[in-house]
Amino acid sequence: MAEDEAQGISAKELKAQKKAEKAAKRAANKVAQGLPPTSSKQQGPPGTAHQGAKGPSGGSDKRLTLFDHLEQASHPALSSATDVHPAIVKLTLHMAYYKIVGSTERCRAMLEAFQEVIRDYSTPANQTVSRHLQSVLSHQIDYLKTGRPLSISMGNSIRWLKQEISKVSIDISEAQAKQELIEQIENFIRERIDVADQVIVASASATVEDGAVVLTYGHSLVVRKSLIRAHERGKKFKVVVVDSRPLYEGKRMAKALVEAGIPCTYVMLTALTYIIKDVTSVMLGAHGMFSNGLLYSRVGTSMIATSAKSRNIPVLVLCESIKFTDRVQLDSVTYNELANPKTTPNDGTSASKEGAIDTLNILYDLSPSGTIKKVITELGSLPASSVPVVLREYKAT
């Protein structure tokens, strides 16, 4: 130590130097494992929050290190919207501020925005539609991701559209190619979303019995339509709408059902143990279904599904096949989405003092396939284990 001090290095400086070396070594190890590096200012004991990192919104980012790898929605920068179509800019802002929520609604809005992009598209000289339009579309998608990560159905739709663009013949005019693509998107929306929802609603509404007490969670458009259809058919039943932060989508569901004349009870997720005693069936929406049969849906869904299963209450999942994915996931940490507390509506933490508290808004969780009685799709009522079979059939066509 005396030698170090003689060289002009104090004990305090030496301690800081060793600390920085350890932090650099930790960051190098994280990079080697494929994880994002963490600066020395962000380091802390395992499970503690970062105290100095800046989040996407410019405020302090107190995320736990366990969730560092997850995408978090941010404020889309209008300054970076170079060559981005106005329809895409508008949609990105609406998604970032949760004006458009729900997997199906976001997917429909995206496809309709793509129609506008194609309608206003012009092929440069010495370029072909099949090649150049794909690059233009990719640029729009990159900006769209700055608002929120893409949903499973959006990703599936994008892959389909890019495949259709690649098939455009070089022997047809640009106007004809654009018109065909716009019509194909229209047909895709009708077949994979509109007709699919109609079939699911007809099937799901038939499962509602007189005297039933149906529990649902958050807001799912296809679940809402199914319950209203059952009511219109003259069935007498009650609905329990369970809700939770950060988006409080259940308010929208309860309002729509009450306006339709359906008796409703609105409770928070914390009251589940008390309210579920009178429930006869559970009807849930889905963000996606993984290939191993696990339901990927709004955070809190797993708690509801497992609670219902423990009481032998049937759990029905209403899910269009466009939300099926061949991905396999075993936990809710490897892949998920974090909502931005600065743009999340109706979040009680917004009234807290700036910098005093920040909220970890995990949006989704996984429900085990064993908790689900059946998945109602446009292809029929299937066990959760049938997801890979459906995907294989789609790829074969």
Side-chain angles (χ1 to χ4, degrees):
M1 182 67 69
E3 182 179 352
D4 290 329
E5 290 178 350
Q7 295 176 359
I9 302 177
S10 66
K12 184 177 181 181
E13 289 172 334
L14 182 62
K15 184 177 179 181
Q17 181 181 343
K18 290 182 177 179
K19 185 177 180 181
E21 290 174 354
K22 289 181 180 179
K25 187 179 292 185
R26 281 195 295 266
N29 290 336
K30 292 187 73 176
V31 171
Q33 297 171 18
L35 298 174
T38 307
S39 67
S40 59
K41 291 182 180 180
Q42 295 172 314
Q43 292 293 338
T48 60
H50 297 334
Q51 299 299 321
K54 293 293 182 181
S57 58
S60 177
D61 183 0
K62 298 184 176 64
R63 268 192 285 169
L64 300 178
T65 55
L66 178 64
F67 304 103
D68 273 349
H69 63 287
L70 298 181
E71 293 182 88
Q72 178 169 314
S74 60
H75 295 283
L78 294 177
S79 59
S80 64
T82 308
D83 297 327
V84 178
H85 194 280
I88 298 296
V89 174
K90 180 180 179 181
L91 175 59
T92 304
L93 291 171
H94 281 176
M95 291 200 309
Y97 287 88
Y98 303 95
K99 301 298 182 183
I100 299 179
V101 293
S103 179
T104 303
E105 293 166 85
R106 289 166 62 199
C107 183
R108 179 197 296 277
M110 180 193 70
L111 290 170
E112 291 174 347
F114 285 163
Q115 286 181 308
E116 294 297 319
V117 173
I118 294 172
R119 189 172 287 114
D120 296 337
Y121 167 78
S122 295
T123 312
N126 302 321
Q127 293 280 2
T128 61
V129 173
S130 59
R131 287 183 178 273
H132 187 259
L133 180 55
Q134 289 214 41
S135 64
V136 171
L137 197 65
S138 295
H139 182 63
Q140 312 299 314
I141 294 167
D142 288 340
Y143 186 78
L144 194 62
K145 290 178 181 177
T146 64
R148 278 188 69 182
L150 302 178
S151 67
I152 290 173
S153 58
M154 293 168 78
N156 288 337
S157 300
I158 288 171
R159 281 187 287 275
W160 165 83
L161 180 56
K162 285 189 173 182
Q163 186 177 21
E164 294 302 312
I165 293 174
S166 68
K167 296 177 183 177
V168 173
S169 173
I170 60 174
D171 297 325
I172 64 175
S173 66
E174 178 190 293
Q176 184 180 351
K178 289 165 56 176
Q179 186 59 36
E180 288 182 359
L181 287 171
I182 291 171
E183 290 177 357
Q184 286 173 338
I185 294 174
E186 194 67 36
N187 291 336
F188 186 87
I189 294 173
R190 182 171 59 252
E191 293 172 7
R192 300 300 299 275
I193 297 179
D194 294 338
V195 174
D197 282 358
Q198 291 171 13
V199 174
I200 293 172
V201 167
S203 179
S205 61
T207 66
V208 181
E209 301 176 350
D210 281 323
V213 179
V214 183
L215 183 145
T216 188
Y217 180 56
H219 179 271
S220 165
L221 188 61
V222 71
V223 170
R224 188 181 86 188
K225 290 179 178 179
S226 298
L227 294 173
I228 292 176
R229 175 70 62 82
H231 175 71
E232 290 172 346
R233 289 180 174 178
K235 295 184 178 181
K236 306 297 181 182
F237 60 95
K238 298 179 181 179
V239 176
V240 176
V241 179
V242 181
D243 205 4
S244 73
R245 56 168 307 277
L247 299 182
Y248 298 102
E249 296 173 275
K251 294 179 180 180
R252 181 181 169 195
M253 172 71 85
K255 180 181 179 182
L257 296 180
V258 169
E259 288 176 350
I262 302 175
C264 279
T265 300
Y266 176 85
V267 299
M268 300 307 295
L269 186 61
T270 49
L272 177 64
T273 305
Y274 172 78
I275 203 72
I276 202 171
K277 294 183 292 185
D278 301 320
V279 172
T280 59
S281 65
V282 175
M283 190 176 289
L284 301 172
H287 181 84
M289 290 290 302
F290 285 109
S291 189
N292 55 344
L294 272 62
L295 168 64
Y296 187 61
S297 194
R298 183 70 66 222
V299 64
T301 303
S302 179
M303 178 178 175
I304 290 174
T306 51
S307 296
K309 174 67 176 179
S310 67
R311 293 168 173 80
N312 295 318
I313 301 171
V315 177
L316 309 180
V317 175
L318 279 54
C319 182
E320 302 89 340
S321 62
I322 196 176
K323 298 178 182 178
F324 288 7
T325 176
D326 54 9
R327 289 210 318 257
V328 172
Q329 191 168 321
L330 301 176
D331 60 67
S332 303
V333 178
T334 304
Y335 174 82
N336 212 309
E337 178 186 346
L338 300 179
N340 188 344
K342 308 302 181 191
T343 60
T344 304
N346 302 320
D347 192 335
T349 62
S350 60
S352 63
K353 288 185 178 180
E354 180 68 26
I357 187 171
D358 208 348
T359 312
L360 185 68
N361 286 325
I362 297 178
L363 285 184
Y364 303 104
D365 66 17
L366 284 173
S367 302
S369 59
T371 62
I372 301 169
K373 181 180 179 181
K374 60 182 176 181
V375 182
I376 301 178
T377 74
E378 71 270 26
L379 305 174
S381 297
L382 310 170
S385 57
S386 296
V387 172
V389 178
V390 173
L391 292 172
R392 187 166 59 246
E393 290 299 318
Y394 269 120
K395 290 179 181 179
T397 56

